[in-house]
Amino acid sequence: MDLESIPGVGEKTARSLSALDDPERALRTGDVAAIASAPGISQGRAARIARGAIRYEHDDPGEFLATDRAREVYRSLLELLKDRTVTDYAAQRLETLYPSSRRSRIEEVQAFAEAAIAREPDPEVLEALEGVEPLRQPDDVRVRERCLATTDAERYAEAREAIPELPVEVVEDAQGLAELARGYATVIALDESFAGIAVEGDVRVEPDALENPAEVVPERSLAFFARNRDRIRAAIEVHRVVELDADCDLAALEDGLSRLAADGTVAGDAELDRLTAAADDVDAAVGTAETVANDHLRKAIREQDVTIEGSDLLSLVERGAGVDSLLSRELADEHAAAVEAAREHVIDALALEPGEAELARRLFADEPTFPVERDEDAVARLRTELTAAKERRASRLKRELAADLAGQREAARRLVRDALELDVELAVARFADEFACTMPTVGDDDVGFAIEGGRSPLLDEPVEAIDPVDYEVSGVALLSGVNSGGKTSTLDLVASIVVLAHMGLPVPAADARLRRFDDLHYHAKTQGTLDAGAFESTVREFADLARSGEGSLVLVDELESITEPGASAKIIAGILEALSENGATAVFVSHLAGEIRETAGFDVTVDGIQAVGLVDGELEVERSPVKDRLARSTPELIVEKLADESDHRRESDLGPGDSFYARLLEKFD
């Protein structure tokens, strides 16, 4: 696929898309999440790119929605679908669904929709979906406690490129390696010449390290799972609730994630936790140990039985008057006990193992001094040893966990992608369920459209409160009816069903059959009479449509409002003649249906939304248009009501009847 051939994709965007593992698959399937992972591409823009790729794939000009009102209907329907998503991804993914005149695209989405409406939007599934989001790329990983070492400049450059997460150092000999070992918890020597050299510290000679970066820097693999841990867990839960097929061991993946902390470190290892706490708490534990020792000595001095009062002796001691000799002669045992208490405090506070405890015993000297003070070099050695032990264990655990998760990365991607796509399916299923939708029949014959039990989703009423409408048109037709009788709602219903059907989606009707239209021209009611320039522009627009209208569906709401009624009837009659000759399907709502029919040069169908009568001042209407019936107007109904009331008075001897109403009523015949 030539990326720059896709509508909306230029050279810069094509370069970004090329960074994806499989850009053609992502574009062909409308995988908004994958496209949005390309550098510099937002999720909204990814949806537009995916839509352009779909148009390119189906050779679709993307011009089905030919008027502003047609586009408004589409956006309203799309919002209804998006309102039924759980994730932001699904809402953006629905943007890739659009009405198309291409059979291949319609059938492609129909296959998706038929599977979608078979889904059961269980509340437990919707709750599980709340935690699912597209996977994110991890931030740049940097590891400071481990380094690579080499004596070769070319090897140095190769290492920096292969494993950018680790510092790379150049050394000249074993002594340089030893110096590095004092500054890093682990040094990985890349030169085979270092094999067999004994160096203090954690130094490993691994000439093939650059060929196995996952073992050298397991943080690379773990960063992906750490960044996306909660999202993958949510996707696992969705698969379990819905019982979706997964191509990986969900329990094993979940176990691996449970051992991974959000910052990419290993979680749940008691020994690593001990070493981490010990390394972090060295200074605090040693400081407290000093206090323990000195408090012990102060108490011993106060209680010491000597020639002078203990408090005086304490004052002298604290001023440094003969401390060593006084402690050595009088308090040697107490000093030893105080130092031992300090050592034991450090060992207990840091939960040190025997080998580490030996280092702790060097923190305080045996020689009597007061106050008791730490040996800073010994403290540094203990801290270094604990830190190195922590890093060694952490590194080993990371390698083990990275090995467990290494083969799960693509499976995790599919888990999340499938969960997100499920949300798209469930949005369609919820829409279809709430609006009592069925899959329509979209053919290539000349039937126009036939709707049974249709309910417009654009009405701001509960579906159950909407009267179902049956309507069928082949060719061109005029739709008449009383004000507020539902003519505009009927046009909205037809437009909604046609748009959804050409999107490949279920439609709000008990049954719907329609031809595959090339485009939809829906003209809303014009507010007020147009000036000469606007009138000319409107007539030109219909002239172009009339010349190339074959395969078009034209819906027009009260075009007569553009100019004087007499002229409007003639203009509409002429437009209908041209549309009929060119094989278009059209419905024109008009209060001038009778006049237009008389003016038209062919037998134009006039359908009517019948008002049954007036009940308590409100119209009672049969919402389904009656074929070949000019509907009565509201004024006619009112006059008829007045005439009936006049007849009733005469028959009941309540007063004389009024022949005025009867004469008016005759004028409507």
Side-chain angles (χ1 to χ4, degrees):
M1 179 183 290
D2 181 5
L3 297 180
E4 289 188 48
S5 298
I6 297 170
V9 175
E11 181 180 353
K12 182 178 178 181
T13 302
R15 282 199 303 270
S16 293
L17 293 172
S18 298
L20 298 174
D21 291 337
D22 190 352
E24 288 194 23
R25 184 208 64 79
L27 292 166
R28 189 172 293 109
T29 60
D31 189 346
V32 175
I35 298 170
S37 68
I41 296 180
S42 66
Q43 194 160 275
R45 184 144 182 261
R48 293 191 294 273
I49 292 171
R51 184 167 169 162
I54 292 167
R55 285 176 48 201
Y56 175 78
E57 184 77 9
H58 294 277
D59 191 25
D60 187 347
E63 298 173 352
F64 184 86
L65 302 169
T67 61
D68 289 343
R69 181 55 187 157
R71 287 184 283 272
E72 287 173 5
V73 169
Y74 164 66
R75 293 309 307 182
S76 297
L77 294 170
L78 192 61
E79 288 304 315
L80 289 173
L81 286 161
K82 292 167 71 171
D83 287 345
R84 285 151 182 81
T85 60
V86 176
T87 64
D88 290 340
Y89 167 86
Q92 292 293 338
R93 175 72 169 84
L94 285 169
E95 291 279 353
T96 66
L97 301 182
Y98 66 95
S100 171
S101 61
R102 294 297 188 256
R103 181 192 298 108
S104 58
R105 174 57 180 170
I106 295 171
E107 291 176 348
E108 181 179 73
V109 181
Q110 281 180 334
F112 154 81
E114 286 172 350
I117 60 178
R119 297 280 188 194
E120 183 65 35
D122 188 277
E124 189 178 359
V125 180
L126 302 179
E127 183 179 353
L129 280 167
E130 290 179 359
V132 184
E133 296 180 60
L135 298 178
R136 297 179 296 179
Q137 291 298 321
D139 297 328
D140 289 341
V141 176
R142 290 290 182 268
V143 181
R144 302 301 181 191
E145 70 277 0
R146 202 177 316 133
C147 79
L148 303 172
T150 180
T151 60
D152 184 78
E154 291 185 8
R155 189 74 160 157
Y156 169 84
E158 184 183 353
R160 282 179 62 94
E161 182 176 354
I163 307 180
E165 297 89 348
L166 297 185
V168 184
E169 305 282 357
V170 175
V171 296
E172 294 183 358
D173 49 30
Q175 182 179 351
L177 205 61
E179 291 176 358
L180 281 181
R182 286 193 286 272
Y184 290 96
T186 301
V187 177
I188 301 168
L190 302 177
D191 303 340
E192 195 168 357
S193 59
F194 286 121
I197 295 177
V199 177
E200 186 176 351
D202 185 16
V203 177
R204 307 201 301 263
V205 180
E206 298 183 12
D208 60 347
L210 302 186
E211 300 171 14
N212 303 289
E215 294 182 11
V216 177
V217 56
E219 291 86 352
R220 178 185 294 182
S221 297
L222 297 182
F224 166 81
F225 288 99
R227 183 78 186 272
N228 297 293
R229 183 185 57 169
D230 294 340
R231 299 165 188 231
I232 298 171
R233 280 176 168 169
I236 291 173
E237 180 62 18
V238 169
H239 277 68
R240 284 187 173 144
V241 172
V242 187
E243 298 182 356
L244 287 176
D245 291 335
D247 56 359
C248 67
D249 186 335
L250 296 182
L253 178 56
E254 198 167 38
D255 176 67
L257 294 174
S258 71
R259 291 185 279 145
L260 184 63
D263 61 357
T265 58
V266 176
D269 183 77
E271 176 63 5
L272 180 59
D273 292 343
R274 182 192 71 81
L275 289 169
T276 301
D280 291 344
D281 295 344
V282 166
D283 287 332
V286 172
T288 302
E290 282 182 332
T291 301
V292 168
N294 289 315
D295 286 349
H296 182 92
L297 282 177
R298 284 191 180 91
K299 182 179 180 183
I301 292 171
R302 287 193 183 97
E303 296 174 353
Q304 183 67 29
D305 185 13
V306 292
T307 305
I308 61 176
E309 295 292 331
S311 59
D312 294 335
L313 176 61
L314 179 59
S315 177
L316 290 170
V317 168
E318 288 180 338
R319 291 201 301 270
V323 173
D324 294 346
S325 59
L326 283 170
L327 288 175
S328 178
R329 186 179 70 250
E330 305 290 345
L331 299 170
D333 291 342
E334 295 295 345
H335 180 273
V339 168
E340 184 61 23
R343 292 167 174 167
E344 289 299 325
H345 174 82
V346 173
I347 293 170
D348 292 343
L350 300 181
L352 300 180
E353 295 293 331
E356 301 157 351
E358 285 304 311
L359 291 176
R361 293 189 176 281
R362 302 175 192 173
L363 297 174
F364 303 101
D366 291 327
E367 294 79 11
T369 59
F370 187 83
V372 175
E373 295 181 346
R374 73 187 78 182
D375 182 333
E376 291 293 352
D377 289 340
V379 173
R381 282 195 297 275
L382 177 61
R383 186 188 301 108
T384 299
E385 179 59 31
L386 290 172
T387 300
K390 177 193 74 172
E391 296 301 340
R392 285 193 297 272
R393 185 168 186 85
S395 181
R396 179 173 66 80
L397 291 172
K398 285 178 182 177
R399 287 197 301 273
E400 292 173 354
L401 181 55
D404 290 344
L405 292 172
Q408 303 271 38
R409 184 162 180 158
E410 284 309 309
R413 289 187 186 279
R414 286 190 291 273
L415 280 179
V416 172
R417 185 168 65 233
D418 290 348
L420 291 169
E421 289 298 325
L422 175 65
D423 190 23
V424 182
E425 292 182 30
L426 290 178
V428 173
R430 293 168 74 185
F431 176 86
D433 181 61
E434 292 174 34
F435 290 100
C437 294
T438 56
M439 291 301 296
T441 300
V442 182
D444 292 323
D445 51 26
D446 297 325
V447 301
F449 63 83
I451 299 168
E452 295 180 17
R455 289 179 168 89
S456 173
L458 304 184
L459 290 173
D460 190 18
E461 294 183 46
V463 176
E464 58 273 11
I466 301 174
D467 293 329
V469 171
D470 299 338
Y471 193 31
E472 179 176 350
V473 171
S474 179
V476 299
L478 286 163
L479 180 59
S480 62
V482 296
N483 288 330
S484 302
K487 300 185 298 298
T488 299
S489 296
T490 299
L491 288 190
D492 283 348
L493 170 64
V494 173
S496 297
I497 286 177
V498 168
V499 168
L500 287 167
H502 284 76
M503 291 172 73
L505 297 177
V507 300
D511 185 53
R513 303 178 308 281
L514 60 151
R515 69 171 293 176
R516 182 166 53 85
F517 294 109
D518 293 334
D519 43 40
L520 170 63
H521 297 258
Y522 185 0
H523 293 268
K525 188 184 303 183
T526 303
Q527 299 299 318
T529 302
L530 301 181
D531 60 30
F535 174 77
E536 180 181 342
S537 175
T538 301
V539 173
R540 286 181 181 274
E541 181 179 353
F542 277 100
D544 293 338
L545 177 58
R547 283 192 291 268
S548 59
E550 184 178 3
S552 296
L553 173 62
V554 184
L555 305 176
V556 182
D557 196 0
E558 296 189 21
L559 184 61
E560 62 263 27
S561 62
I562 66 173
T563 188
E564 296 85 357
S568 294
K570 297 173 183 176
I571 292 169
I572 295 172
I575 293 172
L576 290 175
E577 289 172 2
L579 291 175
S580 178
E581 291 169 1
N582 287 331
T585 303
V587 179
F588 276 56
V589 167
S590 178
H591 288 291
L592 304 176
E595 293 87 336
I596 296 168
R597 180 171 57 184
E598 293 175 2
T599 305
F602 72 109
D603 189 14
V604 59
T605 298
V606 178
D607 303 327
I609 295 179
Q610 291 287 91
V612 179
L614 290 167
V615 179
D616 297 328
E618 298 291 333
L619 281 172
E620 186 175 315
V621 178
E622 174 56 54
R623 300 295 179 182
S624 295
V626 178
K627 298 301 296 180
D628 300 313
R629 179 78 58 83
L630 179 62
R632 295 187 297 171
S633 66
T634 303
E636 181 181 359
L637 290 170
I638 294 173
V639 173
E640 182 182 63
K641 176 176 178 290
L642 293 172
D644 288 344
E645 290 174 350
S646 176
D647 291 343
H648 178 68
R649 281 197 300 272
R650 182 188 307 110
E651 293 170 2
S652 304
D653 294 328
L654 297 176
D658 194 336
S659 60
F660 174 76
Y661 300 122
R663 290 197 305 272
L664 282 182
L665 188 60
E666 291 174 358
K667 300 295 184 183
F668 288 96
D669 293 336

